[in-house]
Amino acid sequence: MSTMKFCRECNNILYPKEDREQKILLYACRNCDHQEVAENNCVYRNEVHHSAGERTQILQDVAADPTLPRTKAVICANCKHGEAVFFQATARGEEGMTLFFVCCNPNCGHRWRD
């Protein structure tokens, strides 16, 4: 498997680029005009598939964040714990802000929204 290539001029990442006239593969810098001929004509692509929980961008350890406000006015539907952190964020495909809650029980971490 190939490694990432970096520009000799500005140290930014080089990206694969096709030279259609000469029918060769180049690596080109998007920051400056540096280009170099690829030694190997194989380009690798890494696709990362996320679960629905990852797409909400709420981390499991968010309950330990001391900067987030906490409330004891809610009860977790999953474990019945009486404390949660909360914050507002935009939900995908929805307009406006949504209030998110995360259970403070370290063995739970259940997430819900208001």
Side-chain angles (χ1 to χ4, degrees):
M1 189 162 195
S2 123
T3 59
M4 289 179 27
K5 296 194 172 288
F6 295 92
C7 178
R8 282 187 240 146
E9 305 294 322
C10 64
N11 292 324
N12 282 296
I13 295 175
L14 294 177
Y15 294 91
K17 179 181 175 184
E18 177 186 18
D19 183 339
R20 291 180 187 234
E21 278 184 19
Q22 297 181 18
K23 297 188 182 205
I24 58 172
L25 180 65
L26 301 170
Y27 281 104
C29 179
R30 292 182 181 170
N31 191 50
C32 68
D33 292 329
H34 177 74
Q35 292 184 352
E36 56 188 64
V37 177
E39 298 155 10
N40 183 353
N41 288 334
C42 191
V43 176
Y44 295 92
R45 188 167 109 183
N46 186 19
E47 289 186 24
V48 178
H49 299 279
H50 296 280
S51 69
E54 288 175 317
R55 289 193 184 125
T56 61
Q57 299 177 357
I58 302 170
L59 303 174
Q60 283 292 91
D61 58 352
V62 74
D65 187 341
T67 64
L68 291 176
R70 296 173 180 271
T71 182
K72 293 187 178 185
V74 295
I75 294 177
C76 175
N78 194 39
C79 73
K80 308 299 182 218
H81 189 71
E83 184 179 18
V85 295
F86 62 95
F87 56 93
Q88 283 189 321
T90 56
R92 288 191 191 270
E94 294 181 18
E95 290 186 25
M97 300 294 279
T98 303
L99 187 60
F100 289 94
F101 292 92
V102 180
C103 179
C104 287
N105 180 350
N107 297 324
C108 179
H110 178 64
R111 299 171 271 198
W112 71 96
R113 53 191 198 171
D114 191 32

